[in-house]
Amino acid sequence: MTAQERSSMRDWLAVALEQARIGLAEGGVPIGAALVDADGTILGRGRNRRVQDDDPTGHGETAAFRDAGRKRSYAGTTMVTTLSPCWYCSGLVRQFGIGRLVVGEARNFSGGHEWLAEHGVEVTVLDDPECVAVMQEFIATHPHLWNEDIGRA
Amino acid sequence: MTAQERSSMRDWLAVALEQARIGLAEGGVPIGAALVDADGTILGRGRNRRVQDDDPTGHGETAAFRDAGRKRSYAGTTMVTTLSPCWYCSGLVRQFGIGRLVVGEARNFSGGHEWLAEHGVEVTVLDDPECVAVMQEFIATHPHLWNEDIGRA
């Protein structure tokens, strides 16, 4: 990866992290995501909306994907997310042929990013300290909500 | 499986198939689903809403799951769907610990139901001829829409 590519990924992650912070301010689970086109255009952005919409399907990645809207192909796109995607969101990436995945961090939760790499998705884990800090603080202060969000009874 | 269990599954599949037929009448992709509690109560039902809501995240299983709403645990529930779930919907079943999956048919499309079985989900494929016929007709008459729905460019 070139320095330019890594710099672009950090810019996209900033978009996703901004979404996570908006979600946190709304009282929600602070996970944000963005879907980015091959030329760097942000096609969609979104955040976990479990609390805000009282909707268990509202994950960050699904929100960003919905915001991007219907397309014939997602092959050249990149899903950027503040946290390693859960199986639900990993399944979305695989099913719709999203070519790349940029993960803010996988310390607080490790979902399906390695499975996606095995299935041909180009995966980069940035291990971003800000993403780690936001999620760590949230899990410590809202353990029940976090467990609900990932189906951990 | 007892005859009573199979009979219950066929009743639940009828709920999912009704959703698929409503979707077809609306001009949508005819895939329906229901989430059923351990005692047979229908917790949620829904259908693919790609066309109706112009929303690429609106699959049958996600719609039924959303309709069921937020729960602490889905362990005793069964996801019933007219068609083998795509990776996105299979990921949902795995992430939220839905214990059972009943599939109407896997002839027109085979998604992640075998993967789910490998990961501890109790899977039954009913191979229902009505489910096969509805989907076969739809794919033949709307190939572009179907390919879009499963991310096949």
Side-chain angles (χ1 to χ4, degrees):
Chain A
M1 191 189 311
T2 65
Q4 177 57 47
E5 281 170 335
R6 187 160 283 264
S7 171
S8 294
M9 287 181 185
R10 295 212 164 269
D11 291 345
W12 304 337
L13 184 62
V15 174
L17 186 56
E18 182 189 30
Q19 288 293 314
R21 291 194 193 283
I22 294 170
L24 188 65
E26 291 168 341
V29 181
I31 304 172
L35 191 71
V36 185
D37 211 353
D39 67 359
T41 308
I42 305 290
L43 297 170
R45 64 189 81 198
R47 56 190 174 274
N48 188 295
R49 305 192 60 89
R50 169 175 293 273
V51 172
Q52 296 92 320
D53 296 344
D54 200 29
D55 178 357
T57 67
H59 276 201
E61 297 88 333
T62 63
F65 185 74
R66 178 188 291 162
D67 189 46
R70 292 169 58 183
K71 291 172 70 74
R72 286 223 59 80
S73 170
Y74 298 87
T77 67
T78 302
M79 179 65 82
V80 184
T81 177
T82 55
L83 184 68
S84 173
C86 79
W87 287 114
Y88 168 48
C89 297
S90 297
L92 181 143
V93 168
R94 181 169 176 188
Q95 188 63 47
F96 292 102
I98 293 170
R100 284 204 301 186
L101 174 71
V102 174
V103 174
E105 62 111 347
R107 290 177 188 262
N108 287 298
F109 176 77
S110 185
H113 68 275
E114 290 178 356
W115 176 74
L116 287 171
E118 286 163 18
H119 289 282
V121 178
E122 193 185 320
V123 177
T124 302
V125 180
L126 292 174
D127 197 26
D128 180 79
E130 282 187 79
C131 290
V132 173
V134 168
M135 205 59 210
Q136 195 168 42
E137 164 80 9
F138 180 81
I139 292 171
T141 53
H142 302 76
H144 295 300
L145 193 50
W146 169 237
N147 285 335
E148 183 195 312
D149 196 61
I150 52 170
R152 199 186 280 156
Chain B
M1 191 188 312
T2 65
Q4 177 58 47
E5 281 171 335
R6 186 160 285 264
S7 171
S8 293
M9 286 182 185
R10 294 212 166 269
D11 290 345
W12 305 338
L13 185 62
V15 175
L17 186 56
E18 182 190 29
Q19 288 293 313
R21 290 195 194 282
I22 294 170
L24 188 66
E26 291 168 341
V29 181
I31 304 173
L35 190 71
V36 185
D37 211 352
D39 67 359
T41 308
I42 305 290
L43 297 170
R45 63 189 81 198
R47 56 192 175 272
N48 189 297
R49 305 192 60 90
R50 169 176 294 274
V51 172
Q52 295 92 318
D53 296 344
D54 200 31
D55 178 357
T57 67
H59 276 202
E61 297 88 334
T62 63
F65 184 74
R66 179 187 291 163
D67 189 44
R70 292 169 59 184
K71 291 172 71 71
R72 287 223 57 80
S73 171
Y74 299 86
T77 67
T78 302
M79 178 66 81
V80 184
T81 176
T82 56
L83 185 67
S84 173
C86 78
W87 288 115
Y88 168 47
C89 297
S90 296
L92 181 142
V93 169
R94 181 170 177 188
Q95 188 63 48
F96 292 102
I98 293 169
R100 284 205 300 185
L101 174 72
V102 174
V103 174
E105 63 111 348
R107 290 176 188 264
N108 287 298
F109 176 77
S110 186
H113 68 274
E114 290 178 355
W115 177 73
L116 287 172
E118 287 164 19
H119 290 283
V121 178
E122 194 185 319
V123 177
T124 303
V125 180
L126 292 173
D127 198 25
D128 179 80
E130 281 188 79
C131 290
V132 173
V134 168
M135 205 59 211
Q136 195 168 43
E137 165 80 9
F138 180 81
I139 293 172
T141 53
H142 303 76
H144 294 301
L145 193 49
W146 168 239
N147 285 334
E148 183 194 313
D149 196 61
I150 52 170
R152 199 185 280 156

